[in-house]
Amino acid sequence: MTRSEAATGMLGVPWSTGVRRRDDGVVAVAGVGVDALAARHGTPAYVLDEADFRARARGYRTAFATAFAEVGTGVDVYYAGKALLTVAVARWAREEGLRVDTASGGELAVALRAGVPGAEIGLHGNNKSDAEILAALDAGVGRIIVDSLVEIDRVAALAASRGVVAPVMVRVTTGVHAGGHEYISTAHEDQKFGLSVNAAPSVALRQAQDAPVGTTDSPAMRALLAVVERPGLRLLGIHSHIGSQILDPAGFEAAAQVVLRLRAELAERTGVLVDDVDLGGGYGIAYLPGEVPLDPDRIAKDVAGAVAAVCGELGTPLPRISIEPGRAVVGPAGLTLYTVGTVKPVALDDGRVRTYVSVDGGMSDNIRPALYEAQYHAELVGRVSDAEPVLARVVGKHCESGDIVVHEVQLPGDVRAGDLLAVPVTGAYGRSMASNYNLLTRPPVVAVAGGTSRVLVRRETVDDLLALDLG
Ligand code: LLP
């Protein structure tokens, strides 16, 4: 029996650490039964295990702080708010010693509302608006991560208009390609993020990138030089994010090497040795029974070792490191609680039967299966059953056949209307990518800790929807 099986009594499934099946067969989260949660908050609902979130946040901070202290430098851990940001969640992150990475004016506003000091916030985005940049400058954010040459001038002009110096990191693409799905891999060339460390191979591309005649500098180097030259900008360092749901540490190490070489080259050319290197997020987690997540202690040691080795080889002092985990902190802390509405067996061509189990949510509360073919697990949580398991597909209530919550899962053959069903590991990119498709109202985010539940974000109502529609 693994530790997680022992902890949950639910075989091999990555539930949050506070999940147990009680003797009466009802699953409880941090001491609150899902029956009580459903009665009090309704379904569907996102349920967050606060202690689990805090433990994972602490786990990442401690693992990286320890590993990098051993090689002689410090680490800042930024919680990537895009995974899930509410005022309470931002507070938990801060209380556990994390900073907050935001990717829009909205995320910035929530972090500030939570009382996160501007200096502990980073602002990302490949197309930030002037209003977002100004909001960041006014809040005194610790770093604006610039993503294009055009944006460097824009940030410099806006900083000048406010009479401040903007602290800037340059986001580079290292060519290291990692992560689950093409849409969530962000450091290869053919996508919108960052500035490439490779010089453009063709004259046409150099022209399109507006490269000065004769230059062989990469867009990344040109961006760094441009920031160094502008008095209204302070170059803090270099940022790289290689993708998401990465399970192989090699990608982080390879990207770190590329970034550290670029840092050394910049120092050689300008005398400016930047202090900070941000290696982004992307730490992979287990979604399905039997999957093995990245272990923060191990990845931290590997990356620290790689960073120390390259700096040793280059003869440059170690930079301060930052990382930006989102999914790995909040993903496993969350589950979605649904109520089963209809059950429909369908005959397959190969003679098998697939049982379609429709729940009261769907692609509006979890777009990941439709968008990335993401796989999830599901379980009946309101009772135990000794009925023979059947091949089931959990689907939502939207007018779309791709509205699938769980492609394939074994559920008890007596699954029926009114059953409570939970999908684990929906804490990251569930609520944050939710929509109102078919004008469904978005579910609440409910936190559970120490035997009590509280609503962090209330359920939307039809009145909320109507209030936006000016007729
Ligand atoms: N830092 C930057 C600059 C990022 O772009 C991202 C994710 C993160 C940190 C956090 O990555 P994480 O540790 O959560 O993997 N919506 C997708 C993933 C796209 C994430 C984009 N950026 C999903 O549902 O899987």
Side-chain angles (χ1 to χ4, degrees):
M1 202 187 269
T2 65
R3 210 175 57 182
S4 114
E5 286 164 18
T8 63
M10 299 166 84
L11 284 183
V13 177
W15 298 93
S16 72
T17 42
V19 170
R20 303 270 185 288
R21 199 179 277 277
R22 297 188 317 219
D23 292 345
D24 63 359
V26 176
V27 168
V29 184
V32 186
V34 291
D35 48 356
L37 289 171
R40 177 157 178 223
H41 305 289
T43 61
Y46 300 107
V47 179
L48 264 188
D49 181 340
E50 177 179 342
D52 184 275
F53 176 100
R54 287 179 179 273
R56 284 174 208 279
R58 239 176 3 251
Y60 264 84
R61 188 176 56 74
T62 312
F64 276 78
T66 309
F68 277 92
E70 267 164 31
V71 299
T73 191
V75 175
D76 296 308
V77 179
Y78 285 74
Y79 168 62
K82 68 203 79 192
L84 175 69
L85 200 64
T86 77
V87 168
V89 165
R91 275 194 197 124
W92 299 346
R94 172 137 206 272
E95 283 164 12
E96 298 305 334
L98 274 55
R99 300 175 169 218
V100 179
D101 149 21
T102 63
S104 70
E107 289 182 7
L108 175 61
V110 171
L112 291 171
R113 170 71 64 87
V116 181
E120 295 178 16
I121 298 176
L123 178 69
H124 271 281
N126 70 298
N127 188 21
K128 303 172 194 75
S129 67
D130 287 1
E132 287 173 322
I133 295 167
L134 285 173
L137 293 172
D138 291 346
V141 299
R143 50 179 63 171
I144 296 176
I145 298 92
V146 295
D147 201 280
S148 63
L149 289 158
V150 188
E151 192 180 58
I152 291 170
D153 289 325
R154 199 175 285 160
V155 174
L158 292 167
S161 78
R162 287 293 205 261
V164 295
V165 173
V168 160
M169 295 190 92
V170 172
R171 178 162 175 179
V172 305
T173 45
T174 55
V176 177
H177 182 163
H181 186 278
E182 189 195 344
Y183 294 171
I184 59 180
S185 303
T186 53
H188 56 301
E189 301 285 333
D190 187 7
Q191 46 80 26
K192 67 178 183 169
F193 292 107
L195 290 139
S196 175
V197 299
N198 296 313
S202 72
V203 174
L205 184 53
R206 282 209 290 279
Q207 279 167 351
Q209 289 178 344
D210 218 7
V213 177
T215 185
T216 51
D217 284 340
S218 64
M221 180 53 81
R222 281 165 45 220
L224 291 165
L225 295 172
V227 174
V228 169
E229 278 163 16
R230 286 179 182 50
L233 303 179
R234 184 159 56 91
L235 180 63
L236 301 176
I238 307 177
H239 182 286
S240 149
H241 171 79
I242 56 173
S244 260
Q245 185 52 12
I246 299 166
L247 291 165
D248 177 0
F252 292 106
E253 293 171 31
Q257 288 174 4
V258 174
V259 170
L260 292 167
R261 294 216 159 85
L262 182 65
R263 172 177 178 255
E265 193 190 327
L266 178 72
E268 216 173 86
R269 288 181 56 169
T270 62
V272 176
L273 182 70
V274 293
D275 289 333
D276 287 276
V277 165
D278 189 323
L279 297 174
Y283 305 94
I285 60 175
Y287 281 94
L288 296 177
E291 282 182 347
V292 182
L294 268 190
D295 170 17
D297 293 313
R298 160 126 196 265
I299 179 82
K301 275 207 178 73
D302 286 355
V303 177
V307 166
V310 188
C311 286
E313 198 184 292
L314 295 167
T316 44
L318 286 162
R320 188 169 179 86
I321 295 292
S322 26
I323 59 164
E324 299 170 337
R327 181 193 321 268
V329 174
V330 72
L335 61 80
T336 311
L337 188 59
Y338 299 101
T339 303
V340 172
T342 62
V343 176
K344 190 193 295 180
V346 172
L348 304 182
D349 289 344
D350 59 11
R352 291 182 305 161
V353 171
R354 192 193 311 282
T355 300
Y356 277 81
V357 176
S358 296
V359 295
D360 48 356
M363 64 195 301
S364 56
D365 61 70
N366 189 358
I367 191 64
R368 302 192 70 258
L371 192 56
Y372 314 122
E373 295 176 4
Q375 305 290 318
Y376 285 88
H377 175 72
E379 224 161 289
L380 287 193
V381 287
R383 63 183 174 98
V384 275
S385 163
D386 48 19
E388 240 348 81
V390 294
L391 172 67
R393 176 166 288 173
V394 180
V395 295
K397 57 180 286 161
H398 292 276
C399 299
E400 186 145 333
S401 47
D403 173 26
I404 293 170
V405 179
V406 181
H407 275 265
E408 199 157 286
V409 64
Q410 299 284 323
L411 289 178
D414 63 350
V415 55
R416 55 182 180 252
D419 270 333
L420 289 173
L421 183 139
V423 175
V425 204
T426 56
Y429 304 110
R431 179 59 170 81
S432 68
M433 295 206 292
S435 77
N436 292 115
Y437 183 37
N438 293 138
L439 293 184
L440 262 64
T441 53
R442 285 177 297 175
V445 181
V446 176
V448 190
T452 50
S453 67
R454 74 179 169 115
V455 178
L456 304 187
V457 179
R458 71 159 169 79
R459 183 185 302 284
E460 276 175 344
T461 63
V462 171
D463 282 344
D464 289 327
L465 301 179
L466 290 173
L468 295 174
D469 187 327
L470 302 185

